[in-house]
Amino acid sequence: MSAITRDEVAHLARLSRLALSDEELDHYATQLDVIIGSVARVSEVAAEDVPPSSHALPLTNVFRPDEVRPCLTPEQALSGAPAVEDQRFRVPRILGEEA
Amino acid sequence: MTTTTTLMPYDEALERYEPVLGLETHVELGTASKMFCGCATTFGAAPNTQVCPVCLALPGALPVANEKAIESTIRIGLALNCSIASWCRFARKNYFYPDMPKNYQISQYDEPLCTDGYLDVEVDGTVVRVGIERVHLEEDTGKSTHVGGATGRIHGADYSIVDYNRAGIPLVEIVTKPIEGADRLAPEVARAYVTELRELMRALGVSDVRMEEGSLRCDVNVSLMPRGSSEWGTRTETKNVNSLRSVERAVRHEIERQAAILSEGGRIVQETRHFHEDTGTTTSGRSKEEAQDYRYFPEPDLVPIAPDPAWVAELKAALPELPSVRRKRLQQEWGVSDLDMQAMHNADAIDLVEATVAAGAPPADARKWWMGELARRANEAAVPLSDLRITPDQVARVCALVASGALNDKLARQVLEGVLEGEGTPDEVVASRGLQIVNDEGELSRIIDEVLAANADAADKVRGGKIAAVGALVGGVMKASRGKADAARARELILEKLGVSA
Ligand SMILES: [Zn+2]
């Protein structure tokens, strides 16, 4: 029994706006299954006395004061943009025609 | 968009169904810098001039939380009677949409900073306690403009252009518990809640809460259940309702729309709807993520927040007087009725009246001018009272001039008009327009003689004992003096001249 189904991979691909071919879906489903299985083994090793953790460092409350720092110029900010219009990032159509 | 919406008249809808409300309000904090980077937050800056590697998600850039934003969120939570978490984390909300360059928004999920509070609001003299489910901190998104297509909307646009100035501005989300039992006052309760919340934010000084600039935005959830049922219906969520009036209208419209569907045996679809300011109606809109599959997980780039209880206690002790408490206090000090206080509240006049009283005017006079002549002028000009070109100090000066007998009400109105038209201070307007009450008894006496001669009939009636007829004569004197006579003194002199004792 695999840890992730091909349908779930297809769903994740759609959420990530990735167009995957049938071959790619098969390929990633197999790979992700191995990754999830490996992570699950780490969880098995963790005993009762090991609490779940999200951060490696025992730190809390790392804040910065509310002070304005220099920004990029718009030219710098947009220098890596594939397309620019009106000093804004131009992106392809987000949603198609309404159903 | 092509189907017409059937509505059930509000009264009928309320006879058959009971509404349950929920409100999600987003407040942009007024910090100088963004939530996780040092970019400025100035409203209206040229596109992409307030961006940096962190808020553009350039590789390797890491966020650091803004302490002031954390502090403001805790203060909001405390003012809303919430518990403050002793330990909590930020979470990633994953979605692929170009308004966030990271492809996720840093938010909070199952560990909000503040939980379980309430806000009391007053509607029609009744206090309604609105429960607060949670208050959490997140970052605002960039602003997209959709180009091409028929409507300028996202659907069918050819492409979009994005400005990331707003991306990363600290945003506080305040979520109510379901509001039951508001019954037919539901639209008013929703509006009163957002109004009170806005004042609270202002009193705390954490946001400029300008709905028209989007620094306070509201999503309205509405569901209906048949009378006698205790099971809630399916709810809809109307997004980005951006004025107080719209909050009320959106709730009312959803009640009428849902009631019509339910009464015909239909089902309510759980969906996001868009509010249309021009028509006061809502239409179905697909959410950008059809499956609400955001795959939240703890944000690894930010360490947990663990507010020191001593710090929280300090913030609590330093909270300003809350708006509802202040209104109660002022109402007592001024000795006005609930109704008058509510009217001042609705007109946003309380601050102005308070400042005018502080400048020396009696409360009744301050209220009279702000809620009377000045409210009328503001209404005519379709601007808020506070935008009128007159200061509370100047209104207080007009009150003083009336109290000293230098002006009567009619002249005072002309003085206010002069100040509003930029002719200078009240004293300057009095001088330049020649608006002094005629205090010269000789001058007044001469005017009265003229008026009596011209109105012999009325004068005879008064002589004959019909004291009521004196009004017309006083009116004549006021007219002849172009409003500058002291009406009370004129009346006395007229009666004296006609040999009648008042
Ligand atoms: Zn930035």
Side-chain angles (χ1 to χ4, degrees):
Chain A
M1 168 85 191
S2 51
I4 187 164
T5 66
R6 192 174 178 282
D7 281 352
E8 285 170 325
V9 177
H11 177 61
L12 283 174
R14 198 188 57 73
L15 288 177
S16 306
R17 305 291 185 265
L18 294 172
L20 298 185
S21 66
D22 283 353
E23 294 77 45
E24 284 171 317
L25 282 178
D26 290 333
H27 186 61
Y28 290 131
T30 312
Q31 281 192 342
L32 284 168
D33 195 44
V34 173
I35 292 168
I36 292 170
S38 308
V39 174
R41 283 188 62 198
V42 176
S43 294
E44 282 166 22
V45 173
E48 292 280 312
D49 58 340
V50 181
S53 81
S54 55
H55 296 77
L57 298 171
L59 285 175
T60 56
N61 299 335
V62 177
F63 302 140
R64 41 172 276 277
D66 180 29
E67 282 164 12
V68 175
R69 303 272 302 271
C71 303
L72 296 175
T73 64
E75 293 71 30
Q76 288 171 324
L78 294 158
S79 62
V84 173
E85 185 173 313
D86 279 349
Q87 206 168 294
R88 294 167 172 90
F89 292 82
R90 179 174 160 162
V91 300
R93 166 188 286 200
I94 299 167
L95 293 178
E97 292 291 345
E98 222 161 347
Chain B
M1 296 290 285
T2 47
T3 51
T4 46
T5 308
T6 317
L7 301 179
M8 180 184 280
Y10 189 73
D11 287 337
E12 193 186 337
L14 262 291
E15 262 166 41
R16 302 179 57 172
Y17 303 99
E18 216 175 304
V20 178
L21 300 180
L23 294 150
E24 281 177 33
T25 313
H26 287 95
V27 176
E28 252 183 22
L29 294 180
T31 51
S33 67
K34 290 189 181 179
M35 185 61 226
F36 300 114
C37 61
C39 286
T41 56
T42 315
F43 180 80
N48 293 304
T49 52
Q50 296 178 163
V51 291
C52 75
V54 173
C55 53
L56 286 179
L58 300 187
L62 287 171
V64 186
N66 182 334
E67 182 166 28
K68 177 86 180 294
I70 308 269
E71 180 188 289
S72 298
T73 309
I74 293 174
R75 292 177 67 230
I76 292 169
L78 290 169
L80 291 170
N81 309 289
C82 288
S83 312
I84 309 302
S86 55
W87 189 91
C88 65
R89 290 175 293 191
F90 285 106
R92 281 191 189 178
K93 178 182 183 180
N94 297 280
Y95 66 93
F96 284 74
Y97 190 82
D99 64 2
M100 277 317 259
K102 294 194 290 288
N103 279 339
Y104 59 83
Q105 178 190 30
I106 302 178
S107 180
Q108 293 195 283
Y109 182 49
D110 49 354
E111 298 167 2
L113 198 43
C114 324
T115 50
D116 195 24
Y118 62 84
L119 179 65
D120 286 337
V121 303
E122 213 179 305
V123 177
D124 269 10
T126 314
V127 174
V128 179
R129 176 157 293 186
V130 176
I132 303 292
E133 179 76 32
R134 57 186 281 152
V135 178
H136 80 238
L137 187 51
E138 60 188 30
E139 56 179 337
D140 209 346
T141 59
K143 207 168 176 209
S144 316
T145 309
H146 307 296
V147 182
T151 55
R153 293 172 62 230
I154 186 168
H155 291 284
D158 295 328
Y159 58 90
S160 301
I161 52 178
V162 194
D163 167 16
Y164 289 116
N165 282 349
R166 201 179 64 184
I169 291 184
L171 195 63
V172 169
E173 182 175 314
I174 301 161
V175 184
T176 67
K177 294 177 179 172
I179 306 166
E180 288 183 87
D183 221 316
R184 58 176 310 103
L185 287 178
E188 286 87 351
V189 168
R191 179 184 182 145
Y193 166 78
V194 181
T195 308
E196 194 64 30
L197 200 59
R198 190 181 63 156
E199 288 200 16
L200 188 63
M201 298 299 137
R202 240 183 238 157
L204 292 169
V206 294
S207 169
D208 60 6
V209 281
R210 286 181 180 273
M211 291 188 92
E212 67 282 8
E213 289 180 3
S215 57
L216 187 149
R217 317 197 274 271
C218 197
D219 301 341
V220 177
N221 296 327
V222 179
S223 70
L224 295 184
M225 56 183 173
R227 292 267 163 203
S229 165
S230 56
E231 200 174 315
W232 295 345
T234 307
R235 66 188 170 89
T236 59
E237 179 175 14
T238 303
K239 286 274 186 196
N240 286 332
V241 184
N242 291 333
S243 73
L244 295 173
R245 184 165 161 259
S246 298
V247 170
E248 192 174 331
R249 291 165 83 207
V251 171
R252 177 178 281 264
H253 177 80
E254 269 306 285
I255 290 174
E256 293 176 344
R257 190 187 68 85
Q258 292 185 16
I261 295 173
L262 291 171
S263 69
E264 284 169 13
R267 276 186 332 116
I268 303 301
V269 185
Q270 179 157 358
E271 63 179 352
T272 302
R273 299 185 65 84
H274 294 299
F275 182 73
H276 301 280
E277 196 78 37
D278 48 352
T279 55
T281 60
T282 67
T283 55
S284 174
R286 277 187 306 186
S287 55
K288 49 196 173 190
E289 208 59 82
E290 275 171 66
Q292 296 290 305
D293 194 344
Y294 291 122
R295 292 153 292 144
Y296 283 98
F297 62 84
E299 168 58 67
D301 290 344
L302 290 159
V303 302
I305 308 165
D308 181 351
W311 182 42
V312 174
E314 210 175 285
L315 293 176
K316 186 168 187 175
L319 283 181
E321 184 182 32
L322 300 182
S324 55
V325 177
R326 172 169 166 259
R327 286 200 302 275
K328 283 252 148 49
R329 173 175 62 76
L330 290 174
Q331 185 179 357
Q332 283 208 328
E333 286 176 16
W334 297 345
V336 295
S337 69
D338 287 353
L339 208 65
D340 286 340
M341 200 64 192
Q342 193 61 42
M344 276 189 273
H345 185 31
N346 293 344
D348 260 336
I350 291 177
D351 290 355
L352 297 164
V353 172
E354 188 187 25
T356 307
V357 171
D365 294 353
R367 184 170 67 83
K368 179 178 98 177
W369 292 115
W370 282 110
M371 293 303 290
E373 180 67 8
L374 293 169
R376 190 179 66 75
R377 298 242 170 213
N379 204 29
E380 267 174 20
V383 296
L385 264 185
S386 56
D387 281 8
L388 287 179
R389 292 168 59 193
I390 190 165
T391 64
D393 280 356
Q394 291 171 333
V395 177
R397 177 62 186 150
V398 171
C399 294
L401 289 170
V402 175
S404 72
L407 293 177
N408 57 24
D409 280 7
K410 186 177 177 200
L411 293 174
R413 274 196 288 278
Q414 294 180 48
V415 174
L416 293 174
E417 179 191 73
V419 175
L420 291 174
E421 284 172 11
E423 292 168 24
T425 65
D427 291 285
E428 285 164 358
V429 175
V430 168
S432 65
R433 291 197 179 192
L435 302 172
Q436 281 280 356
I437 278 187
V438 177
N439 279 326
D440 178 343
E441 293 268 317
E443 169 75 0
L444 186 56
S445 178
R446 192 185 56 73
I447 294 173
I448 289 171
D449 290 342
E450 275 174 28
V451 170
L452 293 181
N455 297 278
D457 284 358
D460 281 342
K461 278 184 190 164
V462 177
R463 273 195 202 93
K466 283 194 176 161
I467 303 284
V470 80
L473 296 169
V474 174
V477 172
M478 295 310 288
K479 196 172 168 201
S481 69
R482 284 178 295 136
K484 292 184 209 167
D486 178 341
R489 182 66 190 138
R491 187 172 192 278
E492 280 172 16
L493 284 176
I494 293 169
L495 293 174
E496 206 173 286
K497 281 175 191 282
L498 298 177
V500 186
S501 58

